Amino acid sequence: MLYLRRRELPHRTLMVVDAVGLAVVTVIGARAALDAQVTPLAVLILAVLTGVTGEVVRDVLCGEFPPLLLREEVYATAALAGAAVYLGLHRAGAPDTVDIAVSAALVFALRMAAIFRDLHLPRLRRLSA
């Protein structure tokens, strides 16, 4: 609180911490889904939902609209890629530490690339009738 009274919030630093959170929570979601012995598609869906839920809650509490998730940000896509890698490594029989480290690193790297290289997904357009 004292810091924020005298300084501006370090936006990029918060984005880095947010990317770490996305990576960790996505892997936790994938691991929990695998422990529940659901289908591979359900593993991917649950991992992405687990990863992006924190972002949606943060945006709602901060009053940001549209939420980051609904913009062209590489967010859910990074979570999906990490979940897919986690699932693939797990099914290939890789050790848990490898599954976790590689998939979390991928999510983090994709999100960091999006932040620092200003990468965005293409904007969806409605088809006119």
Side-chain angles (χ1 to χ4, degrees):
M1 299 279 275
L2 295 173
Y3 178 83
L4 292 178
R5 286 184 183 212
R6 298 204 165 113
R7 305 253 189 241
E8 182 136 345
L9 201 58
H11 181 71
R12 286 215 171 189
T13 303
L14 290 175
M15 296 303 282
V16 170
V17 172
D18 183 63
V20 169
L22 175 65
V24 169
V25 176
T26 297
V27 169
I28 289 171
R31 185 175 176 105
L34 282 170
D35 289 345
Q37 299 178 347
V38 298
T39 67
L41 179 61
V43 170
L44 297 176
I45 292 169
L46 291 169
V48 172
L49 285 175
T50 303
V52 301
T53 299
E55 181 63 29
V56 172
V57 170
R58 182 190 68 89
D59 286 347
V60 167
L61 291 176
C62 292
E64 289 188 29
F65 192 82
L68 184 65
L69 186 60
L70 298 178
R71 293 181 237 154
E72 302 87 26
E73 296 292 329
V74 178
Y75 203 84
T77 308
L80 180 61
V85 167
Y86 186 89
L87 181 61
L89 289 171
H90 177 77
R91 295 185 99 192
D96 285 344
T97 53
V98 172
D99 298 349
I100 293 167
V102 171
S103 57
L106 176 64
V107 174
F108 181 75
L110 289 173
R111 189 67 188 123
M112 288 293 88
I115 292 168
F116 290 107
R117 302 249 185 216
D118 199 29
L119 302 175
H120 301 280
L121 296 172
R123 185 170 270 207
L124 295 176
R125 296 184 198 167
R126 292 182 187 237
L127 297 175
S128 57

